[in-house]
Amino acid sequence: MLAVGTDSYIDLEYADRYIDERYRTGSENRNRWEALGEEERESFLKAACEELERIKWHGRAVSKDQPLSFPRLPYQERTAGEAPERIKKAQAELALWLSDEQGQEDLRQREQIRLQGIKSVSLGSLSMSFAEGAKFGLALICPAAVGLIEPYLNGGYETE
């Protein structure tokens, strides 16, 4: 079970509602999310929150005793009890992105190729080139999540 404020910024109902409102009926992403059981969706939400917690955020936590990085100063008042809406949306987007197991496996394979020092790969009509220093292992290459969290980044976090 998710514990909002402890291991998640959002509850399952928020994530379900967010995905329902932003992804069209029948879309691959929405179908994949809806096909997951409650425990699986909660597991992806926890994993997404863990990824967000690895980031070096700008500012500082409202309280040194809070378990998660948000609420955060200077973005929120000291009395704020939860994360900003953009962080909540980013967690939902990241959980949805993480639920794409084939996409995650493809990402791991590209990272393995890069770690072996290979700079270019061609398979039939598919060709990929990797920039020097390119990193793929970070879950936050999820474009939708990155776009949402950018205002809170400290400037030193690599998302690609």
Side-chain angles (χ1 to χ4, degrees), residues 4-68:
V4 174
T6 302
D7 62 6
S8 182
Y9 289 110
I10 59 175
D11 58 25
L12 184 56
E13 292 76 27
Y14 180 101
D16 289 344
R17 186 174 57 255
Y18 176 87
I19 291 166
D20 183 55
E21 291 171 356
R22 283 165 183 80
Y23 291 87
R24 65 176 175 73
T25 303
S27 74
E28 181 182 334
N29 284 325
R30 185 166 166 184
N31 287 344
R32 184 179 62 249
W33 185 258
E34 289 175 349
L36 296 170
E38 185 174 314
E39 283 185 28
E40 291 173 304
R41 290 185 311 226
E42 287 186 351
S43 176
F44 284 118
L45 286 169
K46 285 180 183 178
C49 187
E50 289 170 6
E51 287 295 329
L52 291 172
E53 288 302 296
R54 289 187 182 107
I55 295 172
K56 183 176 180 180
W57 300 103
H58 184 304
R60 61 184 174 89
V62 168
S63 165
K64 65 178 181 165
D65 298 326
Q66 68 190 54
L68 299 176

Side-chain angles (χ1 to χ4, degrees), residues 97 103-111 136 138 141:
W97 190 78
Q104 296 304 308
E105 181 56 32
D106 292 348
L107 184 67
R108 280 188 283 280
Q109 288 177 3
R110 287 192 304 271
E111 177 66 357
F136 303 104
L138 299 171
I141 66 167

Side-chain angles (χ1 to χ4, degrees), residues 9 50 56 58 69 73 88 102 106 109 113 122 130:
Y9 289 110
E50 289 170 6
K56 183 176 180 180
H58 184 304
S69 297
L73 298 171
K88 293 177 181 182
Q102 184 59 54
D106 292 348
Q109 288 177 3
I113 290 168
S122 295
F130 304 106

Side-chain angles (χ1 to χ4, degrees), residues 92-135:
E93 287 285 356
L94 187 53
L96 178 62
W97 190 78
L98 289 169
S99 75
D100 180 1
E101 292 181 359
Q102 184 59 54
Q104 296 304 308
E105 181 56 32
D106 292 348
L107 184 67
R108 280 188 283 280
Q109 288 177 3
R110 287 192 304 271
E111 177 66 357
Q112 286 301 314
I113 290 168
R114 186 198 66 79
L115 289 172
Q116 293 172 24
I118 298 170
K119 294 183 180 178
S120 182
V121 176
S122 295
L123 300 168
S125 63
L126 175 66
S127 177
M128 290 186 276
S129 295
F130 304 106
E132 191 68 35
K135 295 180 183 178

